[in-house]
Amino acid sequence: MDSSGSSARKQRKTVKRPPSEDASAAEQRLKQKKHAALCATLGGEDASVRLLEQLVFGAEEQLSERLEQIPDSRVFLEDEDGSEDSGSEGPARPIIRSAVWEDEDDQLEEEVDMTHRFRRDFKKSEAESKMSKQRLQQRLKEQFQKAMGGTPSWAEETTDRPRRDAEDEDEDEELLRRTGDFISSSHSLPKGVIKIKKCLNANSECPGADQLSSVQFHPSAQILMTAGLDHSISLFQVDGKNNPKIQTIHLENYPVNKASFSADGEHIVATGLRNKLFYIYDMMEGKVIPVSSVRGLNEQRVSDFQVSPDGKYLLLSGSSGYLHLMTTKTREVVRSMKMNGSVCAAAFTPDSSKIFANSQEGEVFIWDVQSSKCLKKFADDGCVRGTSLALSRDGLYLACGSQSGVVNIYSQKDCLHTLEPRPLKAVMNLVTPATSLSFNSSSEILAIASRADDEANRLVHLPSFTVFSNFPRFQKKTIFRAHCLDFSPQSGFYTVANNKGSALLFRLLHYTDF
């Protein structure tokens, strides 16, 4: 057995491989060498493997960026019987095609007269009296992108469009499945023309019998509250189509001057016109709580107030320039502040640490909440008599309205740190007193209105400080006299309460959430 096994092993050792196997091994080594050169060209990795990894782990954009940096990504391994030279191991050179027809005039740079009245707005300086067509085309492109807030989807590369369209469809389906807490990732709002749609009035099921004095969206639910001089407070569910009524609370012999949700959205605070009595409606319990007196409050009448964003305080506007800070927990006045002249309007900063207030004499005061000290006082530029005030939710802007209709927009930072702050913009699109101001949640829109004239409502784009040209529409009266304005928590809706007892509702199509 041992001799036969050893002889068999000797026979296997002495057997020679056929020539075809040696040729195939050499061919395999040559292919491996070419493959290694290709991997080095593409960055040391196999392109197909890299593509698979990127598709699996979702990094298509990075792959596209790397491939764009390669001078010519059309690199192939030629077959042995191909028409190309098999000895060349480098990447194939791209084929340069010559144009079928060329026009010599295309090479000439024709200059365009920029002093023409249609082209003056595109000049950046007076020295640009003439400009080449190529440069003018680039200038127009930049102007268009600036107006649109970026490159629109239809103007992007066609290779990215199918993937982006598919993503948009998925986002639309997801939005239809969810409401309330879905946060939009939309781009910045473009100026010029706003995409807006008139919806059914929010209180169409129960319009006010008299003018509305307040309208406000709930801070977290799809609910809108209206209040007016007809002694009632109503709640509606907002869907833009039917807007069904939820509840109406009647307050006997009590015309409501102002009503507002608490910071947590569980209560409604309402003040009247005649005395210091105010009501608190507990939405969870369904109870109306009258508050006839507040400890430490020496006022005959309280009609206006502000709710602090942290929910700890109510700022009551008194007479003779007094502002009273009342705690919501114990319902007592803990601090009072005095300004020169009569109180016109007041507002808390987003962190509830400061109070901005303006007087009817045209001065703006800044107070510290904890110490009740006046941190700053300055004159509203050009204002003779103040009428309204509003702060943006991100802490960027301060808006002050005046009797002349001019609305000055300031930087909050400048107001705190500059001795005499100057307005970023004076909006002069109203000719009657600016009585209502409201910023949207993203501080991209400032709504201004006057209750002294019909259709006196404008939407100002920020930060360009320009008014949207298509709102309101003047062919037919729809707004009448605006008494109160508000935006929904994520700016999907805009509402205006008017003197006809209606809460007009508009859908802002740029924003995808309520």
Side-chain angles (χ1 to χ4, degrees):
M1 294 294 291
D2 295 337
S3 60
S4 61
S6 60
S7 61
R9 285 193 296 271
K10 290 179 181 179
Q11 290 178 1
R12 284 196 297 270
K13 289 180 180 180
T14 57
V15 174
K16 295 183 178 180
R17 295 180 180 178
S20 59
E21 294 184 5
D22 294 338
S24 62
E27 178 184 351
Q28 186 67 23
R29 287 194 295 273
L30 180 60
K31 287 185 177 182
Q32 290 177 356
K33 188 175 180 180
K34 292 182 178 180
H35 184 70
L38 174 63
C39 290
T41 303
L42 293 178
E45 296 182 12
D46 187 359
S48 61
V49 174
R50 181 185 298 179
L51 177 61
L52 180 60
E53 290 178 354
Q54 303 292 357
L55 292 176
V56 170
F57 294 104
E60 298 92 341
E61 295 182 358
Q62 291 86 344
L63 174 66
S64 301
E65 292 175 359
R66 285 199 293 266
L67 289 180
E68 288 176 357
Q69 296 174 359
I70 300 174
D72 185 14
S73 59
R74 297 175 298 172
V75 182
F76 303 97
L77 289 175
E78 302 293 342
D79 298 332
E80 289 184 351
D81 55 351
S83 59
E84 299 292 334
D85 185 6
S86 60
S88 176
E89 297 181 3
R93 295 182 179 178
I95 300 175
I96 301 176
R97 300 179 181 272
S98 59
V100 178
W101 175 75
E102 295 182 358
D103 191 350
E104 296 179 356
D105 294 338
D106 292 340
Q107 306 299 326
L108 300 177
E109 292 188 1
E110 182 180 352
E111 293 187 344
V112 181
D113 182 16
M114 298 301 295
T115 59
H116 193 276
R117 60 191 181 94
F118 291 153
R119 306 188 189 98
R120 291 174 186 171
D121 295 337
F122 301 111
K123 296 192 327 180
K124 293 185 177 180
S125 65
E126 293 298 330
E128 293 181 334
S129 60
K130 291 186 178 182
M131 187 181 297
S132 64
K133 282 186 175 181
Q134 291 80 1
R135 191 175 178 184
L136 178 59
Q137 184 179 8
Q138 182 64 26
R139 185 71 56 83
L140 292 171
K141 182 179 179 181
E142 293 174 357
Q143 190 81 2
F144 175 77
Q145 291 178 348
K146 182 180 179 180
M148 295 296 294
T151 305
S153 58
W154 53 264
E156 294 179 351
E157 295 293 334
T158 55
T159 55
D160 296 336
R161 199 176 300 163
R163 177 168 55 84
R164 190 177 297 274
D165 291 342
E167 292 177 357
D168 292 341
E169 291 178 1
D170 295 339
E171 290 178 359
D172 292 341
E173 292 178 359
E174 182 68 16
L175 179 63
L176 292 175
R177 298 191 195 102
R178 300 174 57 188
T179 58
D181 61 344
F182 183 82
I183 299 177
S184 169
S185 59
S186 58
H187 299 289
S188 59
L189 179 69
K191 66 177 183 179
V193 176
I194 187 170
K195 296 180 180 179
I196 191 169
K197 176 184 177 183
K198 176 70 172 66
C199 302
L200 183 69
N201 289 350
N203 64 340
S204 60
E205 285 196 3
C206 184
D210 204 334
Q211 71 179 27
L212 295 181
S213 58
S214 297
V215 64
Q216 186 184 13
F217 287 97
H218 192 275
S220 58
Q222 291 185 215
I223 296 174
L224 182 135
M225 178 265 298
T226 63
L229 302 183
D230 59 352
H231 310 174
S232 66
I233 300 173
S234 300
L235 298 174
F236 302 89
Q237 181 182 352
V238 179
D239 58 11
K241 298 180 180 179
N242 300 317
N243 305 323
K245 186 184 78 170
I246 300 174
Q247 189 179 16
T248 296
I249 305 102
H250 292 278
L251 304 175
E252 186 177 357
N253 196 25
Y254 193 82
V256 179
N257 180 69
K258 182 174 181 178
S260 177
F261 287 107
S262 60
D264 57 8
E266 295 182 359
H267 300 84
I268 296 176
V269 182
T271 57
L273 292 169
R274 302 170 182 171
N275 50 39
K276 60 182 180 180
L277 169 70
F278 63 93
Y279 287 93
I280 297 177
Y281 175 63
D282 190 331
M283 298 176 63
M284 301 294 104
E285 299 291 335
K287 295 181 179 179
V288 178
I289 305 171
V291 180
S292 58
S293 64
V294 175
R295 189 167 62 178
L297 180 64
N298 297 318
E299 296 285 349
Q300 296 297 322
R301 182 171 65 94
V302 174
S303 58
D304 194 15
F305 68 94
Q306 300 295 327
V307 181
S308 65
D310 60 6
K312 294 181 180 180
Y313 302 104
L314 282 183
L315 183 66
L316 307 177
S317 298
S319 59
S320 303
Y322 275 98
L323 291 169
H324 305 284
L325 204 61
M326 186 192 83
T327 62
T328 56
K329 187 175 182 179
T330 61
R331 296 173 189 166
E332 63 178 346
V333 172
V334 292
R335 281 179 286 277
S336 295
M337 295 154 282
K338 174 75 167 66
M339 67 168 63
N340 299 331
S342 301
V343 178
C344 173
F348 284 91
T349 55
D351 59 359
S352 301
S353 65
K354 299 177 184 63
I355 295 171
F356 282 69
N358 64 344
S359 66
Q360 292 184 356
E361 284 68 22
E363 290 183 312
V364 179
F365 296 80
I366 305 176
W367 306 88
D368 180 72
V369 172
Q370 295 300 324
S371 63
S372 69
K373 291 182 179 180
C374 182
L375 302 177
K376 186 77 177 293
K377 181 182 76 170
F378 64 92
D380 185 14
D381 187 66
C383 177
V384 177
R385 184 179 179 87
T387 53
S388 55
L389 180 143
L391 294 175
S392 63
R393 302 182 193 180
D394 59 0
L396 286 180
Y397 302 111
L398 161 69
C400 298
S402 64
Q403 183 75 15
S404 62
V406 177
V407 178
N408 287 330
I409 303 176
Y410 296 88
S411 166
Q412 287 190 33
K413 184 178 179 181
D414 291 346
C415 294
L416 290 170
H417 303 291
T418 305
L419 183 61
E420 295 181 358
R422 303 289 296 177
L424 302 173
K425 178 69 176 180
V427 182
M428 302 182 181
N429 293 82
L430 298 179
V431 295
T432 50
T435 53
S436 298
L437 304 174
S438 180
F439 287 93
N440 78 322
S441 58
S442 62
S443 298
E444 294 177 310
I445 305 174
L446 169 63
I448 62 176
S450 173
R451 67 183 63 173
D453 196 7
D454 291 341
E455 308 301 301
N457 182 203
R458 302 291 185 272
L459 298 180
V460 183
H461 175 266
L462 302 174
S464 69
F465 306 109
T466 57
V467 174
F468 290 104
S469 60
N470 62 323
F471 183 86
R473 297 181 178 179
F474 297 99
Q475 291 84 354
K476 182 181 179 181
K477 286 186 179 181
T478 55
I479 297 176
F480 295 95
R481 303 201 174 190
H483 281 253
C484 190
L485 320 167
D486 195 28
F487 291 92
S488 60
Q490 298 298 329
S491 305
F493 288 92
Y494 169 63
T495 183
V496 181
N498 65 13
N499 61 325
K500 302 290 185 180
S502 300
L504 307 177
L505 189 65
F506 299 90
R507 176 75 174 93
L508 303 181
L509 301 176
H510 175 79
Y511 302 99
T512 56
D513 191 22
F514 180 77

